[in-house]
């Protein structure tokens, strides 16, 4: 059974940093592109960024709203995905989901349960 | 950036009704369009991929159609468990979601 479990959310002050983790199981993690998607309270879904797989050099892409502040990484030996968030703003407050792409396609076929990040003073 | 416009933003229907949601892309995205269902407090769930393909295990009352810029998502006979918010998502040029359609039972 495919499982994605996020952790690391919490309350952080504006300008602060936080690192989210996503533990994957039930599939060959190293084969897949992996993404972060967020949802502000009461709002819609916003793609944050993704990491390609080893075959595609682990390259990363980001939404304009987070580029230069957020960094996505992965450790295939630990079946884990990470999101390092720096220079946090109040508008980064959201539930952050990790999501698996079907292969390398842009189709999100499995999602974690999400972890809440609150940026507030 | 490709903008995705869903309509309506909310919808109230009765059990057994046929429900239709539309999604319009700001430019041609071929069939690179997915539909997701999100129930309150839960993660989104993939229902339809590549505009018209039903994800494994999803009931056949759900369907999708369209290509280019105009897409349609249909529930042929609304069930109580279908109460949720539905999102379209394009993946022709990066990834963009529609603003969502909140579906309620009348």
């Amino acid at each position: 059974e495919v499982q994605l479990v996020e952790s690391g959310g919490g309350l952080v002050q504006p300008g602060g940093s936080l690192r989210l983790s996503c533990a994957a199981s039930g599939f060959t993690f190293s084969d897949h592109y992996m993404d972060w998607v967020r949802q502000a309270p009461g709002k819609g879904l916003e793609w944050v960024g993704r990491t390609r797989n080893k075959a595609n050099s682990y390259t990363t892409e980001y939404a304009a709203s987070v580029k230069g502040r957020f960094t996505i990484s992965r450790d295939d030996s630990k079946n884990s995905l990470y999101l390092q968030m720096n220079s946090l703003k109040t508008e980064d407050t959201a539930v952050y989901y990790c999501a698996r792409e079907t292969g390398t396609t842009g189709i999100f076929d499995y999602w974690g349960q999400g972890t809440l990040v609150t940026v507030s003073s | 950036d490709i903008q995705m416009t869903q309509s309506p933003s909310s919808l109230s229907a009765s059990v057994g009704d046929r429900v239709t949601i539309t999604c319009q892309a700001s430019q041609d995205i071929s069939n690179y369009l997915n539909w997701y269902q999100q129930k309150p407090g839960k993660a989104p769930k993939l229902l339809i991929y590549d505009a018209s393909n039903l994800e494994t295990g999803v009931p056949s009352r759900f369907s999708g159609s369209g290509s280019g810029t105009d897409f349609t998502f249909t529930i042929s006979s609304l069930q109580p468990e279908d109460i949720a918010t539905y999102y379209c998502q394009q993946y022709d040029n990066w990834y963009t979601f529609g603003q969502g359609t909140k579906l309620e039972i009348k």
Side-chain angles (χ1 to χ4, degrees), chain B residues 36-52:
Chain B
Y36 299 87
Q37 175 193 65
Q38 187 179 33
K39 296 185 177 180
K42 300 294 186 181
K45 174 186 175 182
L46 176 67
L47 299 181
I48 302 286
Y49 63 94
D50 292 345
S52 61

Side-chain angles (χ1 to χ4, degrees), chain A:
Chain A
E1 178 193 6
V2 171
Q3 283 198 319
L4 299 169
V5 179
E6 301 94 337
S7 60
L11 175 63
V12 60
Q13 291 188 335
S17 298
L18 205 59
R19 188 195 196 208
L20 306 183
S21 300
C22 172
S25 61
F27 66 101
T28 304
F29 181 74
S30 58
D31 286 348
H32 291 261
Y33 290 12
M34 296 296 298
D35 295 66
W36 289 96
V37 177
R38 69 183 180 183
Q39 186 170 36
K43 302 298 184 181
L45 300 166
E46 179 189 17
W47 177 72
V48 171
R50 78 163 178 201
T51 172
R52 291 188 171 94
N53 55 14
K54 181 179 181 180
N56 290 279
S57 305
Y58 296 126
T59 52
T60 53
E61 291 86 27
Y62 301 92
S65 58
V66 306
K67 195 170 186 178
R69 300 188 299 122
F70 289 12
T71 302
I72 295 173
S73 60
R74 63 191 292 165
D75 185 338
D76 289 352
S77 69
K78 295 181 178 180
N79 289 340
S80 293
L81 175 72
Y82 305 101
L83 178 65
Q84 177 67 46
M85 303 184 292
N86 298 331
S87 303
L88 282 161
K89 307 175 181 179
T90 56
E91 53 263 40
D92 294 320
T93 294
V95 173
Y96 284 74
Y97 297 100
C98 67
R100 186 186 89 161
E101 292 191 30
T102 303
T104 62
T105 58
I107 300 168
F108 303 128
D109 61 349
Y110 286 94
W111 298 64
Q113 85 288 352
T115 187
L116 176 62
V117 173
T118 303
V119 184
S120 174
S121 55

